[in-house]
Amino acid sequence: GENVEQHPSTLSVQEGDSAVIKCTYSDSASNYFPWYKQELGKRPQLIIDIRSNVGEKKDQRIAVTLNKTAKHFSLHITETQPEDSAVYFCAATTYTGGFKTIFGAGTRLFVKA
Amino acid sequence: GAVVSQHPSWVICKSGTSVKIECRSLDFQATTMFWYRQFPKQSLMLMATSNEGSKATYEQGVEKDKFLINHASLTLSTLTVTSAHPEDSSFYICSARDGSWGSTEAFFGQGTRLTVV
């Protein structure tokens, strides 16, 4: 079935450094790739997304890249801050008669002050 | 952004009883809602897709008679955990997308922490 793999599971960086999280997906029909940030006990919040007709998207300190051929997409956070500490989930959405979103396993990001 | 409200936020119930969780889209119409289950420190596992006015589509391994889903209106979907057991204890979270493909973002409810004792 459809699968989204996410790495690393845990990432610890120093404040100010960059953080990169990588995902791969299996369903070539996937065409929408959101990234969510989830703080402890709270709902996931969309932080950035990218569609399959775009290779890169940036929003301030956050950027996402997509390689459709390789079925890879990545989240890049620059100038990390302690408040960036959270769990980040990538996801791949497919529309085949109805929407279906599969999530990666999540990356726990720690930003040390 | 759009608001999805989930109720209750947490519930404790006895084994054998049933629990109903509500998911409401407050400012948009959601033809499709999704129910996820999340274990501690794990990802969101899609349980089922709830379609307004029709039967839900369940993922492989999810018992439809155990997790009853009803999507009676464009703003409300409910998940009922029937004859709950301790292994059903988990964080259940819904998401909703409004009715057009142009709006691909899904908005999450705040989740329901279910504890079965």
Side-chain angles (χ1 to χ4, degrees):
Chain A
E2 307 93 335
N3 187 45
V4 176
E5 293 193 0
Q6 183 171 347
H7 299 281
S9 57
T10 306
L11 179 59
S12 184
V13 300
Q14 202 69 38
E15 182 178 4
D17 288 350
S18 295
V20 180
I21 302 170
K22 298 182 179 182
C23 290
T24 59
Y25 61 99
S26 61
D27 189 348
S28 57
S30 298
N31 50 15
Y32 172 66
F33 307 90
W35 285 87
Y36 289 89
K37 176 183 180 182
Q38 187 179 29
E39 297 178 6
L40 189 64
K42 295 187 177 181
R43 75 186 81 192
Q45 298 275 11
L46 181 74
I47 55 172
I48 195 167
D49 56 12
I50 191 167
R51 298 195 189 204
S52 59
N53 58 349
V54 176
E56 185 173 356
K57 184 177 178 181
K58 188 173 182 180
D59 183 4
Q60 299 182 338
R61 297 187 296 110
I62 297 173
V64 59
T65 59
L66 171 66
N67 182 330
K68 274 197 69 179
T69 304
K71 291 190 271 188
H72 289 175
F73 58 115
S74 300
L75 177 72
H76 304 252
I77 306 174
T78 58
E79 300 172 31
T80 54
Q81 301 165 3
E83 50 266 37
D84 293 331
S85 298
V87 179
Y88 291 81
F89 293 100
C90 64
T93 297
T94 309
Y95 183 81
T96 49
F99 288 103
K100 186 170 183 177
T101 299
I102 302 297
F103 284 81
T107 296
R108 191 168 296 273
L109 174 64
F110 297 96
V111 180
K112 296 176 286 186
Chain B
V3 178
V4 175
S5 178
Q6 191 171 338
H7 178 81
S9 297
W10 60 275
V11 57
I12 301 173
C13 72
K14 289 186 177 181
S15 284
T17 61
S18 296
V19 173
K20 180 185 282 189
I21 302 169
E22 293 185 349
C23 181
R24 293 181 184 272
S25 56
L26 298 187
D27 51 2
F28 66 99
Q29 292 184 329
T31 54
T32 306
M33 292 185 174
F34 306 88
W35 287 96
Y36 294 87
R37 184 172 181 177
Q38 187 176 32
F39 292 102
K41 297 185 179 180
Q42 293 191 29
S43 188
L44 296 120
M45 184 192 77
L46 180 64
M47 298 174 65
T49 301
S50 171
N51 303 298
E52 187 267 335
S54 64
K55 290 184 178 181
T57 304
Y58 288 82
E59 294 301 302
Q60 193 172 11
V62 179
E63 299 175 60
K64 61 181 180 182
D65 295 330
K66 172 78 171 173
F67 299 100
L68 300 178
I69 291 172
N70 184 280
H71 194 153
S73 77
L74 286 170
T75 59
L76 173 65
S77 175
T78 61
L79 168 69
T80 301
V81 183
T82 62
S83 187
H85 290 285
E87 57 265 30
D88 297 325
S89 299
S90 190
F91 189 62
Y92 293 87
I93 191 164
C94 69
S95 75
R97 179 180 276 108
D98 76 20
S100 62
W101 167 241
S103 297
T104 47
E105 180 178 351
F107 300 93
F108 283 88
Q110 62 267 50
T112 297
R113 186 160 301 283
L114 170 63
T115 302
V116 185
V117 297

